[in-house]
Amino acid sequence: MKAAAFDIIDLGRVPYRDAWALQKEHHARVAAGGRPALLLVEHPPVLTLGRKAREGGNIIVTREYLEAQGIEVLEVERGGDVTYHGPGQLVAYAIFPVGRRVQDFLRLLEASTIAALTTLGLPDARPNPGYAGVYVDSREVNGLSYDQKIASFGVAVQKNVALHGLALNVTTNLQHFELIVPCGLTGTQMTSVEREYELRGLGHGSDLKSPDMNAARQALSAAFDTTFETYDWTLPELAGAGS
C-alpha cells in the first residue's frame, strides 16, 4: 500500500471549542493547498447544533439542567441536527478536499466506519438509506423495532474543503443521548461498540477483547488509509489555476 496522502493527528481528549479552532486552522492550510489531515479526538460532554437545529427543539431538557451538568451547547456550521459528544466516543474530523463531491465523500466516510466496525467484530455495520450515519441490525424493544445507530455524520464544505466528520460510539455513556432526540430521529436508539459486545456476548470468553479507544483509533485509521487510497486529492480551484 502506498503512503497515505493525509496526516493522522491524534489530539487525545480536547474541549470541543479548542478542537473546533484547530479544525479551522487545518482547514485554512488545506484550502491553501496544504496536506490534508484526519484529526482524531474525544471531547468532554457537549451538545452541538447543526444547521437544521438552530432552535434546539430536539434538546428535551432545559438549558439550566445542562448547565448544571456542565454540558455546553454550541451552534456549529456542520449539516444535520443536534448530537452529543463525550468521553468514549471517537470523533474523526476529516479536513479533506471535497469540492462538489459531497455525497461521494459521505459514502467514503460511511465505508471507512463500516470497515473499522467490521475489524472490531461488528460485521453487520451498514448505512441506512436516506439517513446519514452507520447502523447495526435493528433491535426489538417491548414489541417495537428500533434502528440502532452507532455512528453519526455531519460535515460542512467551505472553500472546497470539508470540516467536521463523524462520531463513533465506542464506550460512550449512552444515557447522555437521552437528553436529546439524536439527529432529530425518532424510532432510533443510539448504541455503541461496548453495548453491542455486551448484548452479543462478545469480548468475554472469546477471541475478541473488550472495546477500547486505542483499538478503535487503530481500526478507523487503517480503514481511512484503505478507503481513501485512490481518492482524488486535487483541489478544484488549484487544479483550474494550473490549467
Side-chain angles (χ1 to χ4, degrees):
M1 182 183 297
K2 64 182 180 182
F6 58 94
D7 294 324
I8 299 176
I9 303 172
D10 186 355
L11 300 176
R13 186 172 297 180
V14 176
Y16 189 92
R17 286 183 182 271
D18 294 348
W20 195 10
L22 284 171
Q23 280 194 76
K24 292 177 180 178
E25 290 179 13
H26 283 281
H27 180 272
R29 181 181 53 75
V30 175
R35 185 174 168 84
L38 178 68
L39 310 181
L40 302 180
V41 62
E42 286 180 80
H43 294 305
V46 62
L47 298 180
T48 65
L49 302 175
R51 294 190 300 272
K52 293 183 179 179
R54 290 300 188 233
E55 300 301 321
N58 283 318
I59 299 175
I60 59 178
V61 296
T62 66
R63 298 301 176 96
E64 290 76 16
Y65 177 84
L66 293 172
E67 184 176 354
Q69 299 299 312
I71 300 177
E72 193 172 14
V73 180
L74 296 172
E75 293 185 1
V76 298
E77 63 269 72
R78 65 165 172 79
D81 207 297
V82 61
T83 197
Y84 165 79
H85 297 304
Q89 184 188 73
L90 178 58
V91 182
Y93 296 127
I95 316 300
F96 290 1
V98 172
R100 297 182 179 179
R101 301 167 294 168
V102 179
Q103 292 302 316
D104 291 340
F105 177 65
L106 288 172
R107 298 294 83 78
L108 291 172
L109 293 184
E110 287 178 348
S112 297
T113 307
I114 290 168
L117 286 166
T118 300
T119 297
L120 293 170
L122 300 178
D124 56 318
R126 55 174 175 77
N128 192 349
Y131 300 98
V134 169
Y135 295 70
V136 293
D137 285 346
S138 59
R139 186 169 287 120
E140 186 173 303
V141 181
N142 297 325
L144 297 175
S145 180
Y146 289 88
D147 289 334
Q148 301 294 309
K149 189 174 186 179
I150 198 167
S152 301
F153 294 77
V155 301
V157 178
Q158 299 175 352
K159 297 182 179 178
N160 293 311
V161 175
L163 285 162
H164 302 283
L166 67 93
L168 171 62
N169 297 324
V170 183
T171 60
T172 316
N173 180 354
L174 297 176
Q175 289 184 336
H176 280 170
F177 283 103
E178 296 175 7
L179 304 172
I180 61 176
V181 180
C183 303
L185 298 175
T186 58
T188 298
Q189 289 184 331
M190 300 302 293
T191 190
S192 66
V193 176
E194 181 178 51
R195 182 169 185 258
E196 294 302 316
Y197 275 27
E198 291 173 352
L199 292 175
R200 301 172 191 217
L202 301 175
H204 302 283
S206 72
D207 292 335
L208 290 172
K209 298 179 180 179
S210 296
D212 64 74
M213 293 299 288
N214 285 333
R217 287 189 191 93
Q218 292 172 9
L220 191 62
S221 297
F224 264 85
D225 277 343
T226 300
T227 303
F228 283 86
E229 186 175 12
T230 60
Y231 187 69
D232 179 3
W233 298 97
T234 305
L235 273 170
E237 59 187 18
L238 295 181
S243 61

